[in-house]
Amino acid sequence: MEATWVILRHFLGIVPKDTEAPEHPAAIFAALRAPPRVTILSVATSAHPDATHPNKAPYLRGDRATKLRRFFSGAKLWIEMDQLPNPLSGDDREWAPSGVVAHEGKLWFFDLSWGLISCDPNVILPGLRFHDLPPGRRIHEPKPFIHTIRWIGVSNQMLRYVDIARDLDLDDRSRIAEKKVAIWTAIPDPDGGDCDYGIWWLKTYEMSFREIWNDASYRETMMPRMIPEIVLVNPKNPNVVYFFLRGSLFGVDVPGHRVVGFVKDAHKLVAPGCRHCVLPWDLPPSIANGLVEPIVPFQEQSRSSTSGDE
């Protein structure tokens, strides 16, 4: 059965010029690998924006930053709209951006220590709306390692929040409660009947790591009984969470507390010093069904989109 999604690395791979053709005629291509293996988009030097000064991250410029603005295309012009009002203007703390996901026609920008801001870029007068994290999950300020214990994304067409935390031990506060992995689902909460809506969080499930460690499937991996880092959630099945531990990438059916995929030496496939550098990618049907092997070069996509052909 063909994979319908892959784990995609954020950073592009660079193909040496002497190996670009003929086996890889496309400027940008990928060898799709079934999870939990990692798929890498590879780019030929011919696609580099400045081929005379190549570098290892040709599309990443760490010394520039841009503000979010909305643009409309009119004839052959791009029209810049006004910047949107800040829904957090009454709060003194600074927004610490952790990422953005697209869901139900909206963009959801999130701060893993605070909450989410949604925006519908398709309406004439868009607005930004703030949504808090699940109950008890807001913290005073972001931690440097927060992306290793929290994740926000879309799975099975619903917005999900996952974290590793200790629940309060209400019976004996002197005892340290064990760490658990929990997933929450954002449920739409319409108010007023307009296109904008709030959300409320439903705890879908939680499981202690002790239950996972004690399962035979985990013991077979020979990994230590240590708390791993969250990587992502299967975009098709919210029960399956992928973790990273001591160089290994593995998936766990959390409600079933069993390992469903395991790859050693996965640290070779992520950027040095970056654990939060992969994301789930739902494959287009033509690629998922094996009808198209290479990724269509960006240049060809642009030409086809402006040729007028339907």
Side-chain angles (χ1 to χ4, degrees):
M1 181 177 179
E2 298 288 343
T4 58
W5 72 283
V6 296
I7 299 176
L8 183 67
R9 193 177 75 162
H10 278 182
F11 294 90
L12 295 172
I14 304 300
V15 179
K17 187 173 183 179
D18 56 356
T19 61
E20 288 182 14
E23 59 270 19
H24 297 307
I28 298 178
F29 56 91
L32 304 179
R33 308 183 60 140
R37 293 178 174 86
V38 177
T39 294
I40 301 175
L41 281 177
S42 297
V43 57
T45 54
S46 59
H48 197 291
D50 186 0
T52 59
H53 298 86
N55 54 67
K56 294 183 179 180
Y59 301 98
L60 178 65
R61 300 186 182 275
D63 59 341
R64 300 181 187 177
T66 59
K67 296 181 180 179
L68 174 66
R69 295 182 174 88
R70 189 175 68 140
F71 293 84
F72 281 110
S73 60
K76 298 181 179 180
L77 300 176
W78 288 101
I79 304 172
E80 182 178 349
M81 305 296 291
D82 293 335
Q83 296 189 42
L84 306 179
N86 181 4
L88 306 173
S89 58
D91 202 302
D92 293 335
R93 67 177 290 181
E94 291 187 6
W95 181 260
S98 302
V100 58
V101 295
H103 175 57
E104 292 193 337
K106 295 184 179 182
L107 296 175
W108 300 76
F109 305 88
F110 56 90
D111 176 340
L112 289 171
S113 69
W114 194 356
L116 304 91
I117 295 177
S118 63
C119 174
D120 185 347
N122 300 306
V123 299
I124 297 177
L125 296 175
L128 299 178
R129 179 161 186 167
F130 176 75
H131 311 269
D132 213 337
L133 292 177
R137 263 44 186 185
R138 182 193 287 204
I139 58 178
H140 180 65
E141 60 183 10
K143 307 295 183 183
F145 58 85
I146 195 169
H147 63 276
T148 68
I149 59 173
R150 295 184 173 188
W151 182 88
I152 289 178
V154 176
S155 177
N156 195 23
Q157 302 180 15
M158 300 195 77
L159 196 62
R160 317 281 180 168
Y161 166 86
V162 187
D163 71 5
I164 296 173
R166 289 189 177 100
D167 283 345
L168 293 177
D169 190 339
L170 300 179
D171 297 327
D172 184 0
R173 292 182 178 272
S174 64
R175 187 177 61 184
I176 298 178
E178 61 181 337
K179 285 190 174 182
K180 300 178 180 181
V181 56
I183 186 167
W184 300 71
T185 301
I187 307 298
D189 185 19
D191 52 357
D194 57 12
C195 60
D196 196 11
Y197 59 81
I199 59 174
W200 60 275
W201 293 99
L202 173 67
K203 181 182 284 188
T204 310
Y205 62 76
E206 70 176 4
M207 180 65 60
S208 71
F209 280 100
R210 188 182 304 274
E211 295 284 345
I212 298 172
W213 295 333
N214 288 339
D215 194 85
S217 62
Y218 188 88
R219 295 198 301 269
E220 289 175 0
T221 68
M222 301 185 70
M223 289 188 295
R225 297 165 68 93
M226 297 176 59
I227 302 297
E229 301 175 3
I230 293 177
V231 176
L232 53 83
V233 176
N234 184 319
K236 304 294 186 182
N237 182 1
N239 287 347
V240 178
V241 181
Y242 286 83
F243 299 94
F244 188 88
L245 178 63
R246 287 196 167 180
S248 297
L249 183 64
F250 61 102
V252 176
D253 180 340
V254 179
H257 50 76
R258 58 188 176 85
V259 176
V260 295
F262 175 72
V263 173
K264 295 185 67 175
D265 297 328
H267 63 278
K268 297 178 180 178
L269 301 175
V270 299
C274 173
R275 291 291 179 261
H276 193 59
C277 56
V278 294
L279 72 161
W281 178 29
D282 274 322
L283 298 174
S286 58
I287 297 179
N289 295 334
L291 299 180
V292 178
E293 293 184 1
I295 302 297
V296 177
F298 290 166
Q299 309 93 293
E300 294 183 13
Q301 291 183 8
S302 299
R303 285 197 294 269
S304 63
S305 64
T306 57
S307 62
D309 296 335
E310 296 293 331

